[in-house]
Each structure stands twice: as C-alpha cells, then as structure tokens.
Amino acid sequence: MGSGIRQRLIFLIFLGLFVTMGLIGTSRYFIEKRDSMANVRIQGEHSGKLIAELAAPYLLRSDLRGLHSMAESFIHTPVAQEMTIVDREGRELVHIAKPVLDKNRVVVGTQPILSDTMKLGEVHLAVYPAEREGRLSASLRGAFAEYLFIFIFNICKTLLSTIL
C-alpha cells in the first residue's frame, strides 16, 4: 500500500514539474515574441528616419526617379514590407510594397521629410523581418528540448533512487 502512494506522489510531482516547465516555456516564447516585435518597431523607426533624410534632396530637386530608386533599394531589404512617400500636400509620390505583405507587419509611425525646418513630405513604412518566425520557432524547439531533457533526467534520477 505504501508503494502505491509513493508512486502516485512521484507521478504528481513529475506532472507538476512538467506543467510548470510547459508554462515557463510558453512564457519565454511570448516574452521573446514581444521583445522581437519591439526591436522590429525600433529598427523600423530608425529606417524611417534614415529614409526621410535620404529623401530630402530628391524632393528638393523634384527627382521622382531618384526617389523611386531609393524606395526600390529599401524594399529589397529583408525587413521592408511597404513604403509610401507623400509630398507636403499629401499627394502620394511613391508607393512600393513586397508582392505578398505579411499580415503581422509593423506599421511604423510617420517620419517627416525635412529640409532645415521646412517640411517637404512624409515617409510611411511597414516592416517585418522574414527571419523572425524562424528564430522564434528555433527558440521554441530549443526550449522544448531543454525542458524535455530536464524532465527525463529527473524521472530517471527519481526512478533510480527508488530502485536503489
């Protein structure tokens, strides 16, 4: 009778450990996902500021071809999803996007295009790193393997201690 209670207790301990490890792993995944999106937004804002600075000379010269070429260069980067440049009256000068837009893309705040203090227009960006899903999946698989190893190790250790 004492052996059955002991086995149930061991089972409950390991079940609790397994559930706890699952919760910790899930929590780690969502924290990493949130941090990743925050980093994407920050990188997008930096890109928007840089593009606004680069676009100013093109707008001053009314060089739409140069502006479009700059936008084409940006859209070929891994994080770029969509870019729109409008003039100071709000007319769309350039709009370029990836052929397939990611539904989870991050729309970055509008960046003004300035020449000294005069507003020439605005840049609107949407970004999403293509490798993000791969990194999150790899992280999830790694955490699962880590927790599974710890769980199996503890089961073996407990079984050996009850046998000996």
Side-chain angles (χ1 to χ4, degrees):
M1 184 78 172
S3 175
I5 293 174
R6 186 175 186 189
Q7 286 176 340
R8 287 186 194 139
L9 184 58
I10 290 170
F11 175 76
L12 287 174
I13 289 170
F14 282 110
L15 183 62
L17 180 64
F18 186 73
V19 169
T20 302
M21 292 169 86
L23 291 173
I24 291 170
T26 302
S27 174
R28 271 181 56 183
Y29 172 80
F30 284 110
I31 288 170
E32 192 165 325
K33 185 176 181 178
R34 182 198 64 212
D35 291 348
S36 174
M37 290 306 286
N39 287 336
V40 167
R41 180 170 300 286
I42 290 168
Q43 289 173 351
E45 289 170 356
H46 288 297
S47 294
K49 288 176 185 175
L50 178 63
I51 289 168
E53 289 176 19
L54 294 172
Y58 294 115
L59 284 175
L60 283 171
R61 293 191 310 265
S62 298
D63 182 359
L64 294 180
R65 186 173 299 204
L67 203 57
H68 196 276
S69 176
M70 180 193 66
E72 282 280 339
S73 296
F74 173 73
I75 208 67
H76 291 299
T77 63
V79 298
Q81 286 286 306
E82 188 174 22
M83 175 196 223
T84 304
I85 298 175
V86 296
D87 66 10
R88 74 182 98 189
E89 284 85 35
R91 291 182 301 235
E92 187 176 288
L93 302 175
V94 175
H95 177 80
I96 192 161
K98 294 266 172 124
V100 177
L101 294 173
D102 193 290
K103 65 180 173 83
N104 295 319
R105 68 187 177 275
V106 176
V107 177
V108 178
T110 301
Q111 294 295 325
I113 302 171
L114 303 171
S115 175
D116 295 324
T117 57
M118 183 173 73
K119 184 176 177 181
L120 303 174
E122 296 176 341
V123 175
H124 306 269
L125 293 179
V127 294
Y128 188 81
E131 74 281 354
R132 178 180 174 266
E133 293 301 324
R135 281 194 321 245
L136 285 173
S137 295
S139 174
L140 185 60
R141 284 190 305 272
F144 178 74
E146 176 185 326
Y147 293 144
L148 187 61
F149 173 76
I150 291 169
F151 183 70
I152 291 171
F153 174 78
N154 282 319
I155 285 177
C156 292
K157 181 178 154 187
T158 303
L159 288 175
L160 283 175
S161 71
T162 58
I163 293 171
L164 300 174

